[in-house]
Amino acid sequence: MVLCARALIVVDVQKDFCEGGSVPVKGGADRARAIAEMVRRSAGGEYAHIVATRDHHIDPGGHFSDHPDYQNSFPVHCVAGSEGSGFHPHFAPTAASGAVDEVFYKGAHSASKSGFEGSTEDGASLADWLHTRNVSDVDVVGIATDHCVKATALDGAKAGFAVTVLLDYTAGVATDTTDHAIEELRQAGVALTGEPVVLGG
């Protein structure tokens, strides 16, 4: 069977990762709006499938900290069932409209930055779900460029997909970590288009 389809992965466009959330990324709300518009334009078009990932923490251990290092540990965020774990209001209506084919939940009991560590409510992994649908190429967008977008793209490449990160549709936490993430992605053979939004310094 020849793999030939292309999919879009929307990473963690959630309330807690946008302005007003518990771990906000500046520019997140604006990217949520831009991603929603792109998904609406693309549904049924260039992408055979559009999926989204969500942080879904129940008891992630040391990932939650009162003294976070903002690399491996963070303030409490995206607790399963909380308002902050929901999709941002700019993106939620689009996701609910049927434009998003499936949602993959990650991090119930761990940090799990990568969408490829997530699974559907039925337990299907992202890689298996995509392979089953003959997907060979994936575009990755979302929040944050230097954390979960990077991890998802790197794991996608390791899983054998041809990965492109659409930087115009990402938001980074900080300039130095975003620059480092972009270099990591290049070294891993991930294609990059556009320029990242980095308003956090």
Side-chain angles (χ1 to χ4, degrees), residues 89-141:
H90 292 335
F91 181 68
T94 300
S97 72
V100 172
D101 298 313
E102 190 58 88
V103 178
F104 293 82
Y105 298 89
K106 59 190 178 69
H109 300 284
S110 65
S112 294
K113 289 186 177 182
S114 169
F116 284 90
E117 297 176 278
S119 61
T120 66
E121 291 182 341
D122 294 331
S125 73
L126 177 53
D128 287 347
W129 194 95
L130 293 171
H131 282 311
T132 298
R133 288 157 179 80
N134 300 333
V135 171
S136 60
D137 297 59
V138 295
D139 290 352
V140 182
V141 301

Side-chain angles (χ1 to χ4, degrees), residues 14-36:
Q14 294 168 265
K15 292 180 182 179
D16 271 348
F17 295 138
C18 297
E19 293 85 344
S22 61
V23 189
V25 178
K26 290 183 179 179
D30 181 69
R31 294 301 84 194
R33 181 185 291 106
I35 290 168

Side-chain angles (χ1 to χ4, degrees), residues 152-171:
T152 299
L154 291 175
D155 277 358
K158 289 176 186 175
F161 297 97
V163 182
T164 301
V165 174
L166 310 182
L167 293 172
D168 286 343
Y169 295 93
T170 68

Side-chain angles (χ1 to χ4, degrees), residues 68-92:
D69 62 15
Y70 292 95
Q71 290 299 316
N72 298 304
S73 60
F74 294 83
V76 174
H77 61 277
C78 296
V79 173
S82 69
E83 182 178 351
S85 72
F87 287 127
H88 189 275
H90 292 335
F91 181 68

